[in-house]
Amino acid sequence: MKFANANISRRSLLATLALAAAGSLAACGAEGHAHEHGTLRIGASPSPHAEILNDFAAPRLKERGIELDVIEYTDYLKPNEDAISGDLDANYFQHINYLNNYNEENGSDLVNVGAIHYEPFGIFPGRSSDLDDIAEGATISVPNDPTNEGRALLLLQDLGLITIDEAAGVTATVNDITDNPRGIKIAEQEAAVLPSTLADVDFAVINGNYAIDAGLSLADAVATENADSTAVREQYVNIIATRPELKDDECIAALVEVLKGDDFAAYLQETFGDSVQAF
């Protein structure tokens, strides 16, 4: 009888541990899809975001019993829409400034749960290569989405090419250019197409992720943002975003922890060089 009680106690202990483990995974989101079973569904730009998630984060999360399901997007709107609708648990493609602007324009309440990396903007050569001797009336293409356009124009201002109305700041558009001594033509284009239209312009100011997708590195740029600027890094650091009800989700917290680990910076440097920098 003594041994039977011991076996019952052992079975009870194992059952308790199994329930605790199941509860831990169930805590990874309370909404009724695969996430309840320890799968985290996250939307991301192909590179570097999806590459980082698949190559670096996924194997480390698997060791913790969390499967990572990465859905790739090539635009800047759908990942937030799908996070809001619940089709995604979180996304990883945007910087803080973009998220804040998106929430303001759409009446949404997505939250930043982790600052992960920073991608300096670069100005890449197209028909021309000498930015210091840029021709009168040269064309420079910039992203046309809010915040990224302002960010690109501020970089051109830092280089002395144009002057922007100070009140506009990071929300500047071409309408806020107050001085343009060289008569530079600013071509506003969707961020994703900027690398493919380089041959049609003299220079292009390209987002880091789209530059990487096109096989460009920061070393190819003729000018870059000052990556050491605290203001720039804090506004444009790329983040994990999710719905408010998942801000304390254990699986998402585990993902952020993995991407803030001691070996992450070394992975980024080895894989992307200075194009992607740990925050």
Side-chain angles (χ1 to χ4, degrees):
M1 191 67 180
K2 181 178 180 181
F3 293 107
N5 286 337
N7 287 335
I8 290 171
S9 297
R10 182 177 299 170
R11 285 198 297 272
S12 298
L13 176 60
L14 290 173
T16 300
L17 290 173
L19 286 171
S24 175
L25 290 180
C28 293
E31 300 182 49
H33 53 71
H35 191 37
E36 289 182 352
H37 307 291
T39 297
L40 181 62
R41 188 174 174 87
I42 183 165
S45 298
S47 185
H49 305 83
E51 188 173 348
I52 289 170
L53 293 172
N54 286 317
D55 295 348
F56 182 86
R60 288 163 174 79
L61 287 176
K62 192 167 187 177
E63 293 174 359
R64 305 186 184 197
I66 301 169
E67 293 291 334
L68 200 58
D69 183 13
V70 181
I71 312 302
E72 296 189 10
Y73 294 81
T74 57
D75 70 278
Y76 277 172
L77 295 176
K78 198 78 167 91
N80 278 338
E81 292 173 359
D82 287 353
I84 292 168
S85 70
D87 288 340
L88 297 173
D89 299 306
N91 62 46
Y92 176 39
F93 76 98
Q94 64 195 323
H95 53 61
I96 294 171
N97 214 308
Y98 185 89
L99 174 65
N100 291 341
N101 187 80
Y102 181 90
N103 280 336
E104 183 177 346
E105 288 197 344
N106 293 277
S108 52
D109 57 357
L110 292 172
V111 294
N112 164 23
V113 291
I116 307 303
H117 78 260
Y118 168 69
E119 300 167 19
F121 253 23
I123 301 181
F124 293 86
R127 296 181 303 215
S128 305
S129 58
D130 188 351
L131 194 61
D132 292 330
D133 192 29
I134 189 169
E136 293 283 335
T139 300
I140 300 179
S141 57
V142 301
N144 65 359
D145 60 277
T147 73
N148 278 319
E149 179 171 2
R151 182 182 177 188
L153 295 176
L154 286 171
L155 176 54
L156 297 179
Q157 176 175 257
D158 289 343
L159 295 169
L161 298 176
I162 59 174
T163 303
I164 298 170
D165 185 344
E166 188 175 345
V170 295
T171 64
T173 69
V174 292
N175 296 325
D176 297 301
I177 297 174
T178 58
D179 190 28
N180 186 357
R182 295 177 177 83
I184 292 171
K185 299 172 185 173
I186 304 296
E188 300 166 290
Q189 298 181 354
E190 185 181 348
V193 307
L194 289 169
S196 64
T197 59
L198 263 176
D200 302 322
V201 298
D202 292 283
F203 299 94
V205 188
I206 303 178
N207 301 62
N209 58 309
Y210 290 124
I212 293 167
D213 280 344
L216 300 169
S217 74
L218 209 59
D220 300 313
V222 295
T224 64
E225 283 177 321
N226 179 5
D228 296 325
S229 165
T230 301
V232 167
R233 290 176 67 91
E234 289 184 354
Q235 288 191 55
Y236 299 117
V237 62
N238 282 228
I239 60 173
I240 304 292
T242 188
R243 298 182 298 285
E245 61 267 28
L246 292 182
K247 67 182 179 66
D248 297 318
D249 179 85
E250 291 185 11
C251 284
I252 295 175
L255 171 62
V256 173
E257 183 180 342
V258 162
L259 295 177
K260 303 287 275 185
D262 293 338
D263 53 347
F264 185 54
Y267 161 80
L268 291 182
Q269 180 61 40
E270 180 179 344
T271 309
F272 303 106
D274 290 335
S275 296
V276 185
Q277 304 172 19
F279 185 71

